[in-house]
Amino acid sequence: MKSNNNRIRFALALIALVLFGWSLSERRTIAQSAVELSPQEKRGKQIYLKGESEGGEMNAVLGTGDLDLPASSFPCANCHGLRGEGSSEGGLQPPSLIWNKLTSPGQSALTRLERGPYNETTLARAITAGINSNGGKLHPGMPHYRMTGEQMADLIAYLKKIGKELDVDPGLSDEAIKVGAALPMTGPLARIGEDVKQALGAYFAEINKQGGIYGRKFELVVADSRGDAAGTAEATKQLVEQHGVFALVGSFEPSACEATNEYLKRLEVPLIGPVTLSPRQPVVPNPYVFYLLPSFADQSRSLAEFISAGEMRSKTKAAPRLAVIFAENDLDQDAVSGLKSQARIHAMEIVAEQSYKAGQFSAGALVKPLSEKKPDYIFFFGSGDDFTAFANEIDRVKLDAGLLSSAVMIGRSVFNLPPAIAAKTYLSYSVSMPDRDDFAEFVTVMQKSGVQLRSAAFQAVAFAAAKIFVEAARSGTRQLSRTNLIRSLEQFHNYATGVIAPITFGPNRRTGASGSYIVKIDLDKKQYVAVSDRIIPKAGNQ
């Protein structure tokens, strides 16, 4: 009998050990699987946070009913908090909407009157008619909402879950924040991808050594984008749907990535600091994509400002005569549009405009007409190799004109220019200058992790993106969500990263830095030399 009891005890102990070990190893998996709200609750969350519904329009009625506005102008979260905790709004104290508090007797923080518990019916009446659980009127600051019965059911379903552990965005756990980056780990841009990955990893590792934020550590997940639009779309979808990342930071963005960014918008996943040659913002900026550096259009406007003001303008009494040469692609045409807008502001005449197709560049054919027009300055927007060939042809025919372009566009081929042309060449430089800004933190963090600065400009942008993301997440307190991350980002004003211009975002602003330094070329040292402070272009009709 004793032997049987021992066997039973042993078996129970073994089962307990297995279950204990299983619970430790699987608890996080279970927690992650429980994070998902139901489709109805997700619809209700959209109503609560944004005042928007897939089921049709909703309106908010203010005051005595004279003012009827879209509910998106007055979402519940604006007053009651992102997680229903209640907040202070204009000196008022909107109450908590946590379900167990709503369904218990309480006192209104606004009217100081006692009220009975709410149920689904009386809560729906309060939302649509402004009548509390006792039949009295709510505070007049509470809008009345016009919505369908289905929309109300969605909202109440979400209110039953608001503030609970279930109500968290993907990629968040008690211990970690999962961050994704779509980078070219294979293909011709693999070196850049690896360098950006290491820069991101180094910064997150440094923050983790400091304890993370609010007890959470950062986990970086990288997916191979191959450096093209199709691969970027696949990698982004993998990060969002398979890895469940909270946000993307420092993804490499090639041209023609509009579909990927629309995907992020549809799933409401933030992307902070895409590493790109030139951001392509739609007319109405994507609210989930936060660019850091100015576009080629903005850079060419800074170049035009440099010509119109300062010592270069003093060389001629008349307005400078400009010529522009550009490749027939979207990025270079963006640069041309920026130049034209700024030329109009300063009454500068564009006396020649010539385009060429990629792979069909002929320096001689392009330079010959310019010799007849005799422009004061030539803007060239194309590849580095084409730029070098064009400069050599200008040097050969002794065309006396300044040559302007973007350092990002041309790359290191600029250090192969003929000396006479290099002396008259000016480039926009959108990243910060090491001798003018504080690169100390960036260099220190990279050195501590043994990261080689092989793609320093791209790595600096990735570092800035990670730093901005961490600061925005920290500002959002422990109750982190994608919504309050975006709200935190929209509060950034002249935020310094040390490696790019101070960043400012806003509700309708999704490009953080504007303007560029103007640099000349030191052929002996093969480096850029700033000849201006950062130039912010004057506003004008574009």
Side-chain angles (χ1 to χ4, degrees):
M1 185 70 176
K2 184 179 290 186
S3 176
N4 287 337
N5 287 339
N6 288 338
R7 289 194 190 98
I8 292 171
R9 290 193 189 99
F10 177 79
L12 290 174
L14 182 61
I15 292 170
L17 181 62
V18 170
L19 288 175
F20 179 72
W22 176 82
S23 102
L24 286 179
S25 62
E26 302 295 345
R27 187 184 303 162
R28 190 173 302 173
T29 302
I30 293 174
Q32 290 294 332
S33 66
V35 162
E36 284 294 317
L37 297 171
S38 71
Q40 182 183 39
E41 291 160 356
K42 288 180 179 178
R43 295 194 301 270
K45 185 173 184 177
Q46 185 180 39
I47 293 172
Y48 180 83
L49 292 177
K50 299 184 176 182
E52 299 174 352
S53 170
E54 298 173 2
E57 294 184 359
M58 299 181 300
N59 287 346
V61 182
L62 307 183
T64 59
D66 298 331
L67 193 56
D68 196 335
L69 297 171
S72 58
S73 301
F74 298 92
C76 310
N78 275 11
C79 294
H80 294 281
L82 292 172
R83 302 193 69 186
E85 70 274 15
S87 64
S88 177
E89 180 75 15
L92 302 177
Q93 291 184 322
S96 166
L97 297 184
I98 303 300
W99 189 251
N100 62 0
K101 292 184 178 181
L102 282 175
T103 55
S104 301
Q107 182 187 69
S108 169
L110 296 175
T111 64
R112 301 299 178 187
L113 298 177
E114 300 294 329
R115 62 153 182 85
Y118 281 99
N119 56 35
E120 292 186 17
T121 301
T122 56
L123 181 60
R125 183 181 65 180
I127 294 170
T128 57
I131 306 298
N132 69 18
S133 57
N134 291 349
K137 291 186 177 181
L138 292 175
H139 189 279
M142 167 70 180
H144 308 164
Y145 292 89
R146 292 177 179 165
M147 60 178 71
T148 66
E150 184 178 356
Q151 289 168 336
M152 179 63 70
D154 292 344
L155 176 58
I156 291 177
Y158 175 64
L159 291 177
K160 291 180 179 180
K161 298 293 176 63
I162 195 170
K164 296 181 180 180
E165 287 302 315
L166 185 70
D167 181 30
V168 295
D169 288 321
L172 296 177
S173 69
D174 288 340
E175 300 85 14
I177 301 172
K178 190 180 293 186
V179 184
L183 299 172
M185 305 309 296
T186 58
L189 300 177
R191 175 172 170 171
I192 292 175
E194 181 60 36
D195 291 344
V196 169
K197 175 184 176 181
Q198 290 188 17
L200 290 171
Y203 186 76
F204 287 130
E206 181 65 21
I207 298 300
N208 288 344
K209 288 178 185 176
Q210 299 171 12
I213 60 170
Y214 304 111
R216 290 182 170 126
K217 303 292 182 69
F218 290 94
E219 295 179 3
L220 177 64
V221 183
V222 172
D224 182 14
S225 69
R226 304 190 302 275
D228 57 33
T232 300
E234 293 171 13
T236 300
K237 188 173 183 180
Q238 178 184 343
L239 290 166
V240 172
E241 298 184 13
Q242 295 181 26
H243 295 286
V245 299
F246 172 69
L248 285 86
V249 177
S251 288
F252 184 85
E253 183 179 286
S255 59
C257 271
E258 291 83 358
T260 297
N261 290 345
E262 279 300 310
Y263 168 82
L264 293 173
K265 179 180 178 180
R266 181 164 54 84
L267 272 68
E268 301 183 347
V269 180
L271 166 57
I272 296 90
V275 177
T276 181
L277 295 177
S278 177
R280 299 293 310 285
Q281 286 277 25
V283 176
V284 178
N286 187 323
Y288 292 91
V289 181
F290 291 78
Y291 290 100
L292 303 189
L293 295 179
S295 66
F296 284 149
D298 192 71
Q299 292 180 49
S300 65
R301 292 173 62 218
S302 293
L303 286 166
E305 285 290 321
F306 179 64
I307 290 175
S308 68
E311 62 180 6
M312 293 186 72
R313 179 65 184 271
S314 65
K315 293 180 180 179
T316 175
K317 293 181 180 180
R321 291 161 49 84
L322 312 180
V324 56
I325 309 296
F326 62 97
E328 295 177 358
N329 61 61
D330 291 341
L331 292 180
D332 295 326
Q333 288 173 356
D334 278 350
V336 175
S337 69
L339 170 62
K340 288 181 175 179
S341 70
Q342 218 63 17
R344 285 194 296 269
I345 292 174
H346 296 290
M348 295 187 290
E349 182 184 5
I350 297 179
V351 298
E353 178 180 336
Q354 301 179 68
S355 66
Y356 67 91
K357 296 182 181 296
Q360 300 180 22
F361 180 78
S362 172
L366 291 170
V367 170
K368 185 177 180 180
L370 296 180
S371 299
E372 300 172 1
K373 296 288 186 179
K374 292 183 170 49
D376 298 304
Y377 304 103
I378 303 170
F379 286 76
F380 187 98
F381 304 123
S383 73
D385 290 342
D386 294 344
F387 181 81
T388 303
F390 183 79
N392 285 328
E393 182 64 14
I394 288 178
D395 187 52
R396 189 186 70 81
V397 301
K398 306 302 179 186
L399 177 60
D400 184 20
L403 187 57
L404 300 100
S405 189
S406 162
V408 174
M409 188 182 293
I410 303 304
R412 296 191 63 82
S413 62
V414 74
F415 297 115
N416 298 320
L417 295 184
I421 301 300
K424 297 183 292 184
T425 296
Y426 298 87
L427 305 174
S428 60
Y429 192 83
S430 56
V431 184
S432 291
M433 299 295 296
D435 61 338
R436 300 195 173 212
D437 298 279
D438 183 12
F439 273 66
E441 183 186 10
F442 169 61
V443 173
T444 299
V445 169
M446 296 303 112
Q447 287 178 342
K448 286 172 69 173
S449 294
V451 177
Q452 296 181 18
L453 297 180
R454 299 185 304 180
S455 306
F458 290 119
Q459 288 169 295
V461 174
F463 169 87
K467 185 172 182 177
I468 290 166
F469 170 68
V470 169
E471 181 60 26
R474 182 181 285 120
S475 299
T477 73
R478 175 73 181 179
Q479 293 183 342
L480 183 60
S481 71
R482 288 169 174 168
T483 299
N484 64 19
L485 177 76
I486 288 174
R487 289 186 176 180
S488 294
L489 288 166
E490 289 178 341
Q491 301 304 311
F492 273 53
H493 182 72
N494 286 334
Y495 178 75
T497 64
V499 293
I500 58 176
I503 293 294
T504 298
F505 292 121
N508 298 308
R509 177 169 173 167
R510 288 299 186 269
T511 300
S514 60
S516 299
Y517 290 106
I518 307 303
V519 299
K520 291 192 71 173
I521 305 155
D522 186 329
L523 291 178
D524 294 331
K525 296 181 180 179
K526 294 191 179 300
Q527 65 184 28
Y528 300 121
V529 178
V531 294
S532 79
D533 290 327
R534 186 175 291 276
I535 295 178
I536 308 296
K538 292 180 181 178
N541 295 326
Q542 297 185 47

